[in-house]
Every structure is written in structure tokens, then in C-alpha cells.
Amino acid sequence: MEQYEPDRLSPAQVAAMRRSFRNGRAALSRRSLLRASAGGALAVGGLGALSGCGIPAAGQTQGGVSAEDHSAKEKTINFSNWTEYMDVDDSGKHHPTLDAFTKRSGISVKYTEDINDNVEFFGKIKPQLAAGQDTGRDLIVVTDWLAARLIRFGWVQKLNASNLPNAYANLSAQFRSPDWDPGRAYSYPWQGISTVVAFNKKALNGIEVKSVSDLLDNPKLKGRVGFLSEMRDSMGMTLLDMGKDPEKFTDDDFDAAIARLQKAVDKGQIRRFTGNDYTSDLTKGDLAACVAWAGDIVQLKADSPDVDFIIPDSGYLTSTDNMLIPNKARHKTNAERLMDFYYEPVPAAQLAAYINYVCPVDGVKDELAKIDKSAADNPLILPDKAMAAKSHAFRSLTQKEETAYEEKFAKLTGA
């Protein structure tokens, strides 16, 4: 396992964090809009958590380090999740799916919404993890780039596949084997987050948009195109448009994509690089088309008949929020049982109907249709096979790559 070293941030990375905290996905409400994933998910409040000193090195800590599993005697789970990322009843006091799990299993769930940002949360738990201590949590949900880091450091436990039969059988193919956790030995997705191309039909006024190339090259859209201020989203979509795989690209590929976007900036094609504030511009028609987060579009389409989206033939980006069990967790088996529960069609459908993210569970369409037929028919929530086949992840980055790429992207965007 990789030795833990306190991260050092370049000025470009700090700028990216501040942008995301101010108006990126990190700034948004969980119910209606997406929040930060990938490297841009770093809040200003978390800067000290990454660059501060005084945290002990990981030493020889290895994945799979646990305290004695007390699951058999202690029928409980301590579950940390993001705010507004769980179904809630009309009273606002109960979580129906968690209640159903407890009723069936006899295992109570202490559910805590104490994750507001990946880096901020990392700052909370890393002192205990680095020292080989219990974090007080049996199950956590973090975005893929942080999940990759925790696995590299050896700070999360390897899962017992025998406790996860539904998860193994029902996990959607597009999420089965990320480069940071091949075969899902340490993690399972909680929900997926997709990046697509959105447009305002009235603002387009008959102009056809089918690809990122249309955004970058059609002179009729000059000054009315938006890209995202999150590096992985905008660069990943541009790489795909250029025929490059975001999961396998090289430094030269990245530089070529930067040059392609720079050309569009120089000629005034791109109006601006935005966080979530593109939603108002898109609705008003100030942006005719843009790279967008799917969770926004689910909501905007419900409110505005002019807003729609396309999936380019070249593909689209998907990241994930993931369930992991920290080292020294007291209730590993109980946590695995809860993970597996959310891969059953009924609770998976109930969760998807409430939060409207990409459901990572196969076989939920019929159950979701009983609750919300429009959600069941929405490919941004339940991708069909053709759409899922176009999904790509942005590959894991080394610290050196992260620094270099963020610096280049910051120069491009003028951040």
C-alpha cells in the first residue's frame, strides 16, 4: 500500500478548490443539484486538512485492518453520508429504507449527515486512520477520487463477498471495475454522477447540437457556449470528442485537448467556464448549449420545457460516490449487510425515486415505475444499455499529474 504523505497543493489546485466551494458542485444542495466530485470537490475549509503538518504517517497500515467484528453482539451501524442523500418521509424525521432495513435485520442504523465536502471529511477522519484507530464509523460515502486515495493508503477494509450477494449480482456493468478498485474489492457505488451536453431549444432556434465539436466549432453558437470549471468534466468530455479515452489518456492527449479548448476561448466561442450558475443562464437562453451535470438537467427539464440534453456519440463522463468500510470499524458485517440491502431492487428504487441520481443497480426499472414512472423512463437516472455503453470514467491521477493538469486548466480558464 502507498505510504501516506501530507498533500502539497499548487496555487492552481487551491484556486480550483475555491471555485468549487464558491459555485461548483460542492456549493449545491444535494436534493436538486450535483455537488463536487473529482479534484474540484475540495472546499476552502478543507485546505488545511490537506496541507497541514502534524499528522502521523500511515506506517505499515494495510487494507483489511479491523478491530474485532462486534456485529453479532452489537446490532448497530454508524453510517456517515452526505446531506440530502437519503430518502425521507413526509414528516422529514424518518428514512423509510433505513427503517425497513432495521425492521428486517434487527440492526439499528445511526445515520449521520456529516459529509459536506470530500476534503473536509478527509480532514476529520485521517488522524484516526493514519494512527490505526477507529474513526467511530462503520460505513462512509465518498467520491471516487477520495475512495481511490483511501484504498491506496490502505485505510479501508476489503469486503467479504459472501455478505454482498445482491451487490455482486446487481451492480451495473458500467460501474463494475474502476481503475482504482478493480472488481470492487473495497467499495460499491452509492450513486453515479454524469456529465452530458445540455441545450436550450428556444435559444438554439433550429441549430443542431450533437457533439462537443458542435459547441466548439459552430460559429452560430459563438459566445453562447458554456463549459464547466471542474477540470475532469470539461477535459474528459473534450478528450472523448477527440477520440481519446479519459481512462487511458497521455500527457500529450491532455495538452491537445487544452489547445482545442484554448482555440475556442481565443475566438470567443466559449462564453465562460462555470460552476452550477450555468443553470440560470441555460434556462434564460443566455447559454444556448453547454457541458452540464445530469442531476441539474433532471430538475431543469421538470421546470422548463426548453431545456434538454444529448449524449454525444463519443460518450460522456460518469463518476461515483462510493460506500467503504474504514479500518478498525467495529461492525463490518453489519455494514456489509446494509450495503447489500441497497442493491436489492425495491430499496434501490425507493432511493432513486427520492434523490434522482444515476442508480448503479440493475433490475430496478419495474419497481421504480411503481413509484415514479417518469423517473423510471429517465435515462439520466436509469441509463439504458446503449447509454451505459457510452459512459467513461476519468482515470486516477498521480499527485504530479493532478498539479500539472490543474495548472494548465487554470491558465485556460483564467482562474
Side-chain angles (χ1 to χ4, degrees):
M1 295 290 178
E2 179 178 316
Q3 181 80 5
Y4 171 69
E5 297 291 346
D7 296 285
R8 303 301 178 193
L9 301 175
S10 70
Q13 287 174 293
V14 172
M17 294 170 192
R18 288 179 173 145
R19 286 197 309 274
S20 183
F21 186 66
R22 189 168 56 245
N23 65 0
R25 282 176 283 181
L28 313 180
S29 73
R30 171 66 65 173
R31 180 73 176 109
S32 62
L33 299 173
L34 295 175
R35 52 95 195 135
S37 66
L42 313 179
V44 175
L47 299 186
L50 279 183
S51 57
C53 299
I55 301 301
Q60 298 302 312
T61 299
Q62 297 291 315
V65 176
S66 65
E68 179 184 351
D69 191 350
H70 296 269
S71 293
K73 294 182 178 180
E74 299 177 5
K75 297 295 184 179
T76 187
I77 302 168
N78 293 305
F79 182 7
S80 283
N81 204 348
W82 295 74
T83 57
E84 300 183 54
Y85 217 10
M86 180 67 73
D87 56 308
V88 180
D89 68 3
D90 291 339
S91 74
K93 298 179 180 179
H94 300 283
H95 303 292
T97 55
L98 288 177
D99 291 345
F101 172 78
T102 296
K103 183 177 181 180
R104 180 202 298 181
S105 66
I107 300 170
S108 64
V109 182
K110 182 181 178 182
Y111 184 72
T112 307
E113 295 182 335
D114 61 346
I115 306 178
N116 296 301
D117 171 82
N118 285 289
V119 169
E120 180 185 52
F121 184 66
F122 183 56
K124 290 181 183 179
I125 64 176
K126 73 175 180 178
Q128 294 98 330
L129 291 172
Q133 299 171 353
D134 181 11
T135 66
R137 299 168 174 87
D138 301 304
L139 190 63
I140 61 176
V141 175
V142 297
T143 305
D144 44 21
W145 68 267
L146 181 53
R149 175 180 294 177
L150 294 173
I151 292 170
R152 288 200 311 271
F153 291 160
W155 288 354
V156 293
Q157 297 187 55
K158 192 171 185 177
L159 301 173
N160 183 346
S162 66
N163 292 327
L164 295 155
N166 292 299
Y168 180 81
N170 296 334
L171 175 61
S172 297
Q174 72 182 99
F175 300 121
R176 281 197 173 269
S177 196
D179 65 354
W180 48 270
D181 187 16
R184 293 288 180 181
Y186 294 90
S187 69
Y188 270 93
W190 176 250
Q191 298 291 294
I193 305 166
S194 295
T195 304
V196 299
V197 172
F199 57 87
N200 183 307
K201 288 180 280 189
K202 185 175 181 180
L204 285 179
N205 193 28
I207 300 170
E208 190 173 64
V209 170
K210 290 187 175 181
S211 67
V212 171
S213 286
D214 290 334
L215 302 187
L216 296 174
D217 300 331
N218 190 333
K220 295 180 180 179
L221 296 178
K222 182 177 180 179
R224 298 192 294 145
V225 168
F227 274 71
L228 294 168
S229 58
E230 305 287 356
M231 182 268 288
R232 285 168 173 80
D233 295 292
S234 287
M235 293 303 297
M237 292 295 282
T238 304
L239 285 163
L240 281 169
D241 188 71
M242 298 172 69
K244 303 298 181 180
D245 188 344
E247 299 173 67
K248 300 176 182 178
F249 69 89
T250 65
D251 287 347
D252 288 343
D253 295 333
F254 187 89
D255 289 346
I258 284 283
R260 180 156 167 70
L261 286 174
Q262 186 66 61
K263 181 179 179 181
V265 169
D266 293 343
K267 68 181 181 181
Q269 184 76 7
I270 296 176
R271 182 183 182 92
R272 62 193 182 106
F273 291 83
T274 71
N276 72 290
D277 47 329
Y278 74 85
T279 56
S280 60
D281 287 348
L282 183 63
T283 302
K284 291 186 295 184
D286 292 341
L287 285 176
C290 61
V291 176
W293 293 311
D296 295 6
I297 306 309
V298 171
Q299 299 297 321
L300 294 180
K301 276 174 59 67
D303 298 330
S304 173
D306 292 327
V307 173
D308 211 337
F309 76 99
I310 57 104
I311 301 297
D313 288 342
S314 59
Y316 67 103
L317 263 289
T318 302
S319 58
T320 51
D321 286 331
N322 308 274
M323 297 179 282
L324 302 99
I325 299 175
N327 282 356
K328 295 300 180 84
R330 287 178 61 88
H331 312 107
K332 180 175 184 286
T333 298
N334 290 347
E336 289 168 339
R337 290 181 66 183
L338 182 60
M339 292 171 71
D340 196 58
F341 172 77
Y342 279 104
Y343 274 80
E344 296 179 18
V346 171
Q350 292 172 330
L351 183 65
Y354 188 83
I355 63 176
N356 293 163
Y357 275 62
V358 179
C359 180
V361 184
D362 278 342
V364 304
K365 188 176 180 69
D366 290 344
E367 294 296 336
L368 185 54
K370 295 176 185 177
I371 305 169
D372 185 343
K373 190 175 186 305
S374 64
D377 293 335
N378 191 332
L380 296 180
I381 298 173
L382 293 183
D384 56 26
K385 289 184 177 179
M387 182 169 171
K390 294 182 178 181
S391 171
H392 298 265
F394 198 97
R395 70 170 174 82
S396 300
L397 300 179
T398 66
Q399 182 65 21
K400 182 179 179 181
E401 287 175 328
E402 177 85 27
T403 299
Y405 293 170
E406 286 288 5
E407 286 177 349
K408 292 174 181 179
F409 189 70
K411 183 177 179 181
L412 166 74
T413 62

